[in-house]
Amino acid sequence: MSNARATHLTRRGILAAGGALGLGAVLAACGDDDANSGGSDKETTAAKSGPWTFKDDRGTTVKLDKTPANIVAFTGVGAALYDYGISVKGVFGPTKTTDGKADVQAGDMDISKVTILGNVWDQFNVEKYAALAPDVLISTMFDDAGTLWYVPETSKDKIAKLAPSVGISVYDRQLTAPLQRMWELAESLGADMTAAKVTDAKKRFETAATRLRAAAKAKPDLKVMAGSASQELFYVSGTNLSIDLEYFKALGVNFVEPPESAKKQGGGWYESLSWENVDKYAADIIMMDDRSSTIQPADITEATWKKLPAVKAGQVISRSPEPILSYDKCVPLLENLAEALENAKKVS
């Protein structure tokens, strides 16, 4: 990871740091904190040919003559909409792995049926985008400045001229908030939110949340650490900005919390540790970033890692720092952590 040792913070540098973590939290500018109170115009969702309006988390209201048909989205957003029955024409962001398979962030989408405008950071084919005749571009936002995730800084103005955009905030709030916003967005786009698949997924999410709360209450002394690995460094995430960790903490999970001073270089998201100091924090369970940009636990060769009590006890699970924002995809996140807490022993 070439930017892991950067001494200043850029969006690319934050991304390179990997998950817990990474996410463009330290972009300059300030946004409208009240933007996340917006909602969709539910009166127009039934008429596919009628006008469409949606107020996003920047406080921007997009108005079109008809419901968008040619949708382009960040890969994870496309995956969430897919779970609600809405298909996108094009995607940008991690979509295809080096072996040609669907990236973890693509969810259940058939990636052979979407146009991939960019698969890595700073890659976005504006010509291909224009050729899709986009009605709207949708992405998440990892700051309060309204910065659209994976839309390159160098070409954002060209991209903005081709179609209006919608931003869903995943910054400094609990998971349930962006889940609800994605629900509202899908509904506005014509999704059937009364379908059994959709309503069942929401019920399973609520059941999983109850299970996780109970598991955390039963073992309050177990410490959970959220980590991410690069070749040079190990990153320990704090809970105060990440939607998943904020939610899990609210349910009672006891997390390792690096001090704010230690997270400065990570824009407030995480602390960077050398592999020699990977044992700085005592942890009984370690949640590791599952994104393809990071090193997965099975591939970590550092001796210091292998000596960690949680690793030796087999108490390492995966974490999705960029959750696909459908209830269906978020259920396993809660269930896996609940199961880990239920089965884990105190080893720290």
Side-chain angles (χ1 to χ4, degrees), residues 124-160:
F124 192 112
N125 191 313
V126 181
E127 290 73 24
K128 277 188 179 181
Y129 178 57
L132 290 174
D135 293 322
V136 68
L137 179 147
I138 309 171
S139 191
T140 48
M141 301 181 297
F142 282 94
D143 62 16
D144 58 4
T147 308
L148 296 174
W149 191 228
Y150 266 81
V151 173
E153 189 72 19
T154 53
S155 54
K156 67 176 184 179
D157 292 339
K158 289 181 181 178
I159 293 167

Side-chain angles (χ1 to χ4, degrees), residues 4-5 225 228-236 262 265 270-281 300 302-305 308:
R5 292 178 177 170
M225 180 167 68
S228 185
S230 74
Q231 195 169 13
E232 298 93 349
L233 298 169
F234 183 82
Y235 308 92
V236 180
Q265 196 175 9
Y270 58 88
E271 178 181 1
S272 305
L273 299 176
S274 67
W275 282 103
E276 290 77 12
N277 295 316
V278 74
D279 60 353
K280 179 177 179 179
Y281 298 107
I300 299 175
E302 301 288 342
T304 49
W305 163 262
L308 293 177

